[in-house]
């Protein structure tokens, strides 16, 4: 596995865990939600930009992307 791939995976895992914490849900539920509403795809596609932002900004972006794709979390 390349170093770039490893960094991307670590970042996505951190985002999923922080999203779960923010929304008071399990990491598994957060993963499934982000997968269903294309948040994970967004993180992978735009990793080069997103990882330079604060975690708060990245989580805000995830919420926005998921809402635009039908997600209904408060």
């Amino acid at each position: 596995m390349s170093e770039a791939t490893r960094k991307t995976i670590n970042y996505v895992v951190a985002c999923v865990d922080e999203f779960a914490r923010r929304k008071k849900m399990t990491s598994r539920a957060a993963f499934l939600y982000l997968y269903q509403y294309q948040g994970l795809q967004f993180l992978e596609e735009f990793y080069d930009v997103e990882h330079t932002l604060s975690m708060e900004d990245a989580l805000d972006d995830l919420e926005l992307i998921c809402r635009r794709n039908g997600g209904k979390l408060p």
Side-chain angles (χ1 to χ4, degrees):
M1 179 182 315
S2 73
E3 185 63 25
T5 300
R6 189 180 327 270
K7 286 181 180 182
T8 302
I9 291 170
N10 288 339
Y11 179 74
V12 169
V13 169
C15 287
V16 169
D17 286 342
E18 289 300 318
F19 187 86
R21 193 170 291 125
R22 178 188 266 196
K23 295 298 184 179
K24 297 177 178 46
M25 58 196 322
T26 66
S27 292
R28 183 180 193 284
F31 174 85
L32 292 173
Y33 177 84
L34 293 170
Y35 178 80
Q36 180 176 0
Y37 296 108
Q38 299 167 1
L40 296 178
Q41 179 182 343
F42 170 78
L43 283 178
E44 184 178 352
E45 186 173 342
F46 296 102
Y47 168 79
D48 56 333
V49 175
E50 288 295 314
H51 86 277
T52 66
L53 303 174
S54 71
M55 183 58 74
E56 292 301 312
D57 287 341
L59 295 177
D60 291 344
D61 289 348
L62 279 175
E63 286 189 46
L64 180 63
I65 291 299
C66 290
R67 268 195 225 110
R68 285 184 181 169
N69 289 305
K72 305 267 191 232
L73 287 178

